[in-house]
C-alpha cells in the first residue's frame, strides 16, 4: 500500500473508532509494521491532523476533522457494483430504487477510470430475484428500526394460526425467498423472527422503545446461531 493511501486509511480507522486504537491494531488491519504506523501518525500530526494519544494507550481523532470528498479504489468500486446488483435480487422495491439512484450518483461523481469499472457490466449477481414480500412494507419496517418504534403485526405462525403481536423491530434479514424481521416480541418476552410472507398486516403504533435497540441487538447477536432462529 502506498504511503498516501495508508495515511488515508489510518484517518478512516480513527474516524470510525469509538475507543482509542493502538498502533498494533492499525498495523494488523493495514498489514504493515507497528513502526510504520508510528511514523505515519507522526507525519499526520505534522500535517495538523488532530490525532491525540501515544504509544501504549492508543490514538483518537478529535471530532470535527473533515476529509476531502470520498474516493474509491478499483476493488472498492467493484465491491459496490456487486453489492448494488445483489440488491436487485431482494423483494424490497424501495431499496431497489435507492440502488439505482446510488449507481447514478457514483457514476457521475467518479473519474473516468472508475466510471468504466462501474459501467462495464462485467460483474453480475446471478439467480432469480426474490418474490414480492406480500403485504408488509419493508420500508416501513426499516424506518421503525431506525426510529425505534414498535410495530403491530397480524401474523400467521408455522401452523397457520392467526396471532396479533406487538414487536420492537431491531433488524431485517433478507433471504432469497423472503425477509425476516428480527424483533423483541412482547407476547413471548423474547427475541423472535417474523417471516415477511406470513405477515398479513403491519402497522406503526407511535410507541417508542428509545435507547433499547442496541441492547436488544446485542442480546440477539449473543444468542444467534445461523440454523436455530426461533420464528413467531
Amino acid at each position: 500500500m502506498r504511503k498516501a493511501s495508508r495515511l488515508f486509511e489510518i484517518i478512516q480507522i480513527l474516524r470510525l473508532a469509538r475507543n482509542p486504537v493502538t498502533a498494533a491494531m492499525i498495523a494488523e488491519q493495514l498489514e504493515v509494521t507497528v513502526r510504520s504506523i508510528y511514523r505515519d501518525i507522526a507525519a499526520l500530526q505534522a500535517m495538523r491532523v488532530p490525532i491525540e494519544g501515544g504509544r501504549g494507550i492508543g490514538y483518537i481523532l478529535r471530532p470535527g476533522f473533515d476529509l476531502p470528498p470520498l474516493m474509491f479504489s478499483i476493488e472498492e468500486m467493484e465491491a459496490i457494483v456487486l453489492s448494488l446488483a445483489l440488491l436487485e435480487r431482494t423483494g424490497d422495491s424501495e431499496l431497489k430504487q435507492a440502488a439505482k439512484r446510488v449507481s447514478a450518483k457514483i457514476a457521475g461523481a467518479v473519474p473516468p477510470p472508475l466510471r468504466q469499472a462501474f459501467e462495464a457490466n462485467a460483474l453480475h449477481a446471478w439467480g432469480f430475484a426474490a418474490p414480492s414480500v406480500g403485504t408488509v412494507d419493508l420500508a416501513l419496517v426499516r424506518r421503525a428500526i431506525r426510529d425505534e418504534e414498535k410495530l403491530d403485526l397480524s401474523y400467521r405462525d408455522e401452523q397457520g394460526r392467526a396471532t396479533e403481536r406487538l414487536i420492537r423491530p431491531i433488524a431485517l434479514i433478507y433471504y432469497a425467498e423472503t425477509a425476516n424481521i428480527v424483533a423483541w416480541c412482547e407476547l413471548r418476552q423474547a427475541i423472535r423472527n417474523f417471516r415477511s410472507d406470513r405477515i398479513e398486516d403491519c402497522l406503526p403504533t407511535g410507541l417508542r422503545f428509545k435507547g433499547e435497540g442496541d441492547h436488544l441487538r446485542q442480546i440477539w447477536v449473543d444468542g444467534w446461531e445461523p440454523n436455530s432462529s426461533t420464528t413467531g
Side-chain angles (χ1 to χ4, degrees):
M1 181 183 291
R2 292 176 301 172
K3 182 175 181 179
S5 298
R6 196 168 66 241
L7 295 180
F8 176 82
E9 292 296 334
I10 290 172
I11 293 174
Q12 288 289 73
I13 290 169
L14 295 177
R15 286 184 72 191
L16 297 174
R18 296 184 177 181
N19 299 303
V21 184
T22 65
M25 294 166 65
I26 300 173
E28 183 178 0
Q29 283 188 247
L30 302 185
E31 298 180 345
V32 297
T33 65
V34 173
R35 182 176 297 179
S36 294
I37 298 301
Y38 285 140
R39 286 198 298 263
D40 291 340
I41 289 176
L44 288 168
Q45 289 171 329
M47 291 185 280
R48 299 185 182 277
V49 176
I51 297 174
E52 297 179 347
R55 301 187 182 198
I57 60 174
Y59 298 93
I60 61 171
L61 184 66
R62 286 206 309 269
F65 179 74
D66 291 324
L67 282 171
L70 190 61
M71 190 51 61
F72 303 102
S73 68
I74 292 291
E75 292 77 13
E76 290 167 341
M77 185 63 70
E78 289 176 338
I80 293 171
V81 169
L82 188 56
S83 298
L84 293 174
L86 288 169
L87 274 178
E88 286 293 323
R89 297 174 60 188
T90 73
D92 192 323
S93 59
E94 186 178 78
L95 282 185
K96 288 181 181 179
Q97 293 302 315
K100 291 178 181 177
R101 295 195 300 272
V102 170
S103 296
K105 287 181 180 179
I106 294 178
V110 298
L114 294 179
R115 189 177 304 128
Q116 181 180 1
F118 213 80
E119 297 175 344
N121 292 324
L123 298 177
H124 300 270
W126 201 250
F128 294 105
S132 171
V133 294
T135 58
V136 62
D137 180 0
L138 294 183
L140 182 152
V141 175
R142 285 187 278 104
R143 283 193 293 272
I145 293 170
R146 292 195 300 267
D147 297 341
E148 297 185 332
E149 180 180 4
K150 297 180 183 180
L151 295 174
D152 190 7
L153 297 188
S154 296
Y155 189 73
R156 289 197 175 272
D157 63 17
E158 291 177 282
Q159 286 73 42
R161 295 172 300 204
T163 179
E164 297 291 325
R165 303 293 180 91
L166 183 63
I167 65 168
R168 306 176 191 187
I170 57 172
L172 192 55
I173 306 174
Y174 291 86
Y175 294 101
E177 68 281 3
T178 186
N180 277 11
I181 302 172
V182 183
W184 177 267
C185 176
E186 299 204 350
L187 176 66
R188 302 299 188 198
Q189 287 294 293
I191 299 291
R192 289 290 186 268
N193 287 306
F194 297 92
R195 289 176 55 122
S196 61
D197 54 356
R198 294 179 185 163
I199 297 173
E200 297 184 339
D201 201 8
C202 176
L203 298 172
T205 64
L207 303 173
R208 307 288 178 175
F209 56 101
K210 283 293 185 184
E212 299 179 36
D214 286 342
H215 175 65
L216 291 174
R217 272 185 289 276
Q218 192 60 53
I219 293 174
W220 170 54
V221 169
D222 289 344
W224 185 74
E225 295 179 11
N227 298 315
S228 64
S229 296
T230 305
T231 59

